[in-house]
């Protein structure tokens, strides 16, 4: 018997956020297609979902245009999450990151625009660059440093993706929604690509030094992954979100030094907190963002978004997850 189940495609669905999104959409009874080349995504992230007959996994790159076109044409919704992951990847592989973000997105958007299939584009808080006006509002300027500093390639490429999605929306009638995701944390996130929370938790639990880069006065706001994923789903189906950009994240700010102290306390760890110069961590030309905080009033007004899980609760869940893995 034919079913009317909605078919959704998640590019990068074996990644940290993508796998949580896949889980949530399956719970909602949708048929979920994941395309991921497993370069930074991991099959273990979705292995607990693979007995669900509504999950289909395709191991391939989004740069495979024919494959993407065929897949997208059968979908009711596309969540485009596949991209270069983490500051470390972008600094170490700038060319690959830049091309994947721009070409990959072009392929996905072009394929979706043929049948006007709704696309939610996952962008990033990196697009604000080093703008020092806080908190960041969606219409604020994007401020980048020299092209000789590889970090800016990430924000530039995702910024290019945003322009492309808006242009497809305006000129080709593609229903596209853009979300600028701020720092997200939760189980399955790995520290391998530089992300601070899994790194600190891992260091604290194994008794190694907790490595704060710079002086630790830089601040971030960390959102729990389930809050973010629910927001993506709500935005993707809201007609007033089309052609719009939304910040998604938490507005609870913490310095990285205080984050290190909190992780040390919550894990009851004997680890020392050490300060590592940026040049040692990322090389000479590296520049960090001092502060990063989203204004989340726009998404709050449209879908009633407010982060539910506090930083402390999130850290406890992540610590339990790391302990259970041992
Ligand atoms: N960071 C740190 N120690 C680490 C990894 C990261 O102090 O082992 C810092 C990093 O320099 C930045 C903050 O933590 O100031 C958040 O880094 P992450 O890579 O998680 O996210 P982003 O820089 O994209 O906000």
């Amino acid at each position: 018997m034919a079913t009317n189940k909605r078919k959704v495609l998640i590019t990068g669905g074996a990644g940290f956020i993508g796998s949580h999104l896949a889980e949530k959409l399956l719970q909602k009874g949708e048929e979920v297609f994941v395309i991921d080349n497993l370069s930074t995504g991991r099959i273990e992230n979705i292995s607990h979902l693979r007995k669900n007959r509504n999950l289909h996994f395709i191991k391939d790159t989004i740069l495979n245009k024919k494959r993407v076109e065929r897949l997208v044409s059968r979908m009711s919704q596309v969540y485009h999450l596949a991209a270069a992951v983490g500051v470390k990847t972008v600094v170490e592989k700038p060319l690959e990151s830049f091309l994947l973000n721009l070409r990959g997105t072009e392929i996905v958007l072009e394929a979706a625009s043929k049948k006007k299939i709704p696309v939610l584009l996952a962008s990033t808080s990196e697009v604000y660059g080093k703008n020092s006006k806080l908190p960041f509002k969606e219409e604020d300027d994007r401020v980048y440093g020299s092209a000789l500093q590889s970090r800016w390639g990430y924000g530039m490429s995702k910024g290019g993706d945003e322009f492309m999605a808006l242009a497809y929306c305006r000129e080709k009638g593609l229903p596209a929604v853009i979300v600028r995701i701020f720092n997200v944390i939760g189980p399955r996130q790995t520290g391998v690509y530089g992300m601070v929370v899994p790194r600190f938790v891992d260091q604290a639990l194994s008794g190694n030094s907790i490595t704060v880069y710079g002086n630790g006065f830089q601040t971030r706001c960390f959102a729990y992954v389930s809050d973010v994923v629910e927001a993506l789903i709500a935005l993707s189906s809201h007609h007033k979100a089309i052609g719009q950009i939304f910040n998604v994240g938490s507005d609870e700010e913490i310095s990285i030094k205080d984050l290190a102290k909190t992780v040390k306390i919550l894990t009851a760890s004997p680890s020392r907190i050490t300060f590592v110069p940026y040049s040692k961590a990322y090389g000479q030309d590296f520049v960090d963002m001092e502060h990063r905080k989203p204004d989340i009033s726009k998404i709050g007004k449209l879908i009633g978004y407010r982060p539910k899980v506090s930083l402390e609760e999130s850290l406890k869940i992540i610590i339990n997850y790391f302990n259970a893995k041992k």
Side-chain angles (χ1 to χ4, degrees):
M1 209 172 66
T3 59
N4 291 325
K5 227 175 274 157
R6 263 168 53 90
K7 290 183 165 63
V8 300
L9 175 68
I10 308 174
T11 71
F16 159 53
I17 301 176
S19 66
H20 284 273
L21 179 61
E23 193 171 313
K24 191 51 123 198
L25 290 168
L26 287 169
Q27 279 166 16
K28 287 180 180 289
E30 311 222 347
E31 190 168 0
V32 176
F33 293 74
V34 163
I35 180 165
D36 201 306
N37 66 353
L38 301 180
S39 60
T40 52
R42 286 175 303 166
I43 200 70
E44 304 85 70
N45 286 346
I46 51 168
S47 51
H48 63 297
L49 305 173
R50 290 193 79 180
K51 48 186 180 299
N52 189 324
R53 288 168 58 195
N54 283 332
L55 180 81
H56 310 275
F57 175 66
I58 301 111
K59 183 177 179 303
D60 206 346
T61 163
I62 53 162
L63 298 175
N64 185 342
K65 195 169 176 207
K66 286 235 159 64
R67 189 89 179 259
V68 169
E69 273 173 0
R70 254 184 282 131
L71 253 176
V72 168
S73 69
R74 298 160 51 209
M75 298 296 138
S76 331
Q77 168 77 49
V78 176
Y79 293 92
H80 177 38
L81 271 61
V85 172
V87 173
K88 200 162 174 280
T89 313
V90 175
V91 170
E92 284 170 5
K93 298 178 182 169
L95 179 63
E96 199 180 306
S97 306
F98 203 74
L99 292 180
L100 173 69
N101 288 354
L102 284 168
R103 257 190 215 151
T105 298
E106 186 189 348
I107 288 172
V108 170
L109 292 175
E110 195 190 344
S113 82
K114 289 185 180 155
K115 287 194 181 169
K116 298 194 179 20
I117 294 159
V119 176
L120 181 129
L121 169 74
S123 184
T124 162
S125 55
E126 278 274 329
V127 297
Y128 290 104
K130 55 179 179 179
N131 191 340
S132 52
K133 179 194 154 292
L134 289 160
F136 295 144
K137 278 179 91 71
E138 288 83 352
E139 64 274 21
D140 284 344
D141 289 344
R142 297 158 309 131
V143 183
Y144 301 129
S146 160
L148 296 170
Q149 294 167 326
S150 42
R151 173 170 197 148
W152 307 117
Y154 186 43
M156 293 285 294
S157 62
K158 295 301 283 187
D161 286 353
E162 292 188 357
F163 271 110
M164 221 190 309
L166 291 174
Y168 267 103
C169 186
R170 287 180 196 137
E171 293 177 33
K172 308 263 185 199
L174 175 72
V177 178
I178 297 164
V179 288
R180 287 184 180 154
I181 303 178
F182 283 65
N183 298 67
V184 187
I185 53 172
R188 296 183 217 139
Q189 185 178 41
T190 155
V192 174
Y193 308 108
M195 274 68 167
V196 67
V197 166
R199 287 175 62 81
F200 281 5
V201 170
D202 191 35
Q203 289 165 341
L205 290 177
S206 48
N208 295 328
S209 294
I210 302 176
T211 56
V212 173
Y213 297 160
N215 59 17
F217 291 139
Q218 70 271 35
T219 61
R220 293 294 186 272
C221 302
F222 297 95
Y224 190 65
V225 65
S226 64
D227 281 332
V228 171
V229 156
E230 274 168 30
L232 303 192
I233 296 172
L235 284 176
S236 71
S237 57
H238 201 300
H239 68 282
K240 285 196 178 153
I242 292 171
Q244 297 285 326
I245 300 177
F246 297 89
N247 289 336
V248 185
S250 160
D251 50 6
E252 185 186 344
E253 202 172 0
I254 186 167
S255 74
I256 297 303
K257 191 176 167 190
D258 285 345
L259 176 72
K261 286 187 198 157
T262 309
V263 169
K264 181 172 155 69
I265 293 167
L266 292 177
T267 49
S269 168
S271 293
R272 287 178 51 228
I273 295 175
T274 56
F275 294 86
V276 179
Y278 286 116
S279 55
K280 263 207 172 149
Y282 291 123
Q284 279 307 336
D285 76 343
F286 186 77
V287 229
D288 199 10
M289 249 65 98
E290 260 184 78
H291 305 288
R292 178 184 275 165
K293 182 178 180 176
D295 180 315
I296 47 175
S297 53
K298 185 173 176 185
I299 185 173
K301 262 186 217 134
L302 191 71
I303 59 163
Y305 172 83
R306 261 315 302 165
K308 295 190 202 111
V309 188
S310 69
L311 176 60
E312 187 170 332
E313 281 173 85
S314 310
L315 290 174
K316 285 180 181 163
I317 298 169
I318 295 164
I319 292 164
N320 286 341
Y321 167 79
F322 268 83
N323 275 326
K325 266 201 327 181
K326 275 195 203 155

